[in-house]
Amino acid sequence: RAKALQDFEPPTPQKIVDFLDNGNAVTVEVLRQQVLQELCDYQRQILGGEFNTARRFYTKDKEGVLSRLGEVDSANIVAEYLSYTLRHKGIVIDKEHETRNQNRIDITASKMLDGQRRLLVIEAKGQWHKELYNAASTQLYERYSIHPDAEEQGIYLVFWFGSDESVANTKKHGLTTANELKLSIESTLSPELKGKIDIFVLDVSCV
């Protein structure tokens, strides 16, 4: 956390009041926590809601067989949800955000504060992706979080479709829950990333 705040400037009293009264983000770290809270709320809807929200992450063929969506379509669903829930806080959600070096960030959350944009970058991967254990550092941190508005922070969003699906292109992975996958990915993070990058594994296996 100290590393993430090495260039931190304390918010003014008015900004603090604004955050406490209205929930407005005042730093990238606060923006990150707000997005994480929305992801947690979305996870609760998926696990215990009455509308079978997880069903959105699957398609059904003529025989009624379910097939999972890919990373892009899954990320679009999450971006749509975040856009709806965070709009009232003045937070803008974009997908496929293109940076000046032509990198495309899966999802970004941004807000203008005192004429300066605060930008949270989110990289999304399906559990099957062969670069699952490397993307947090090689893509999210090294290529995306270096954006001057991002303050080297971000969220690594992973979609868990169940233990029958491969993990990092491996069928025999031994993982049985989304939390086990989260801990597995976190164990590979270098010390410099901890406190800057959050791992969030969204469990959409309950259809």
Side-chain angles (χ1 to χ4, degrees):
R1 185 173 182 177
K3 292 177 182 176
L5 298 178
Q6 57 189 351
D7 298 320
F8 172 71
E9 293 184 8
T12 65
Q14 181 56 46
K15 285 184 180 180
I16 295 174
V17 170
D18 194 31
F19 172 67
L20 294 175
D21 289 345
N22 306 311
N24 287 333
V26 294
T27 64
V28 174
E29 186 184 31
V30 171
L31 184 59
R32 197 173 97 209
Q33 294 305 315
Q34 289 183 323
V35 172
L36 281 173
Q37 182 59 56
E38 293 300 335
L39 289 173
C40 288
D41 290 345
Y42 194 40
Q43 182 68 87
R44 283 192 286 270
Q45 288 184 31
I46 291 172
L47 295 177
E50 60 212 48
F51 299 108
N52 194 15
T53 306
R55 178 67 179 78
R56 293 195 64 192
F57 293 86
Y58 296 81
T59 59
K60 184 185 291 186
D61 64 17
K62 294 180 180 179
E63 284 72 39
V65 178
L66 292 176
S67 299
R68 64 161 175 79
L69 296 181
E71 290 172 351
V72 174
D73 289 333
S74 297
N76 287 345
I77 293 171
V78 173
E80 179 186 23
Y81 171 81
L82 292 175
S83 178
Y84 176 77
T85 58
L86 292 170
R87 187 181 305 154
H88 73 284
K89 295 182 178 179
I91 297 172
V92 177
I93 301 296
D94 288 311
K95 58 183 181 179
E96 293 293 323
H97 181 100
E98 185 171 345
T99 61
R100 282 176 294 183
N101 54 10
Q102 296 186 328
N103 286 324
R104 287 188 176 272
I105 306 169
D106 291 332
I107 304 172
T108 58
S110 62
K111 181 165 184 176
M112 295 296 295
L113 295 166
D114 292 339
Q116 180 179 353
R117 184 176 64 166
R118 308 293 184 184
L119 184 71
L120 177 71
V121 294
I122 304 171
E123 173 67 15
K125 285 281 185 285
Q127 67 183 80
W128 57 86
H129 200 284
K130 64 180 181 180
E131 298 296 329
L132 179 71
Y133 287 98
N134 300 323
S137 58
T138 59
Q139 282 185 264
L140 180 58
Y141 184 68
E142 294 178 5
R143 288 163 54 185
Y144 302 154
S145 72
I146 60 170
H147 191 287
D149 298 335
E151 297 179 7
E152 297 187 358
Q153 300 182 56
I155 295 176
Y156 185 37
L157 173 65
V158 177
F159 298 103
W160 170 259
F161 284 86
S163 57
D164 292 336
E165 181 69 55
S166 61
V167 172
N169 209 28
T170 301
K171 274 290 186 183
K172 297 181 179 179
H173 48 76
L175 300 174
T176 59
T177 67
N179 190 57
E180 287 180 6
L181 179 58
K182 178 178 184 292
L183 295 175
S184 179
I185 297 173
E186 286 179 338
S187 69
T188 68
L189 291 181
S190 63
E192 67 174 344
L193 266 64
K194 294 179 180 179
K196 294 182 177 182
I197 302 297
D198 290 298
I199 309 297
F200 193 95
V201 180
L202 188 69
D203 185 352
V204 294
S205 63
C206 50
V207 293

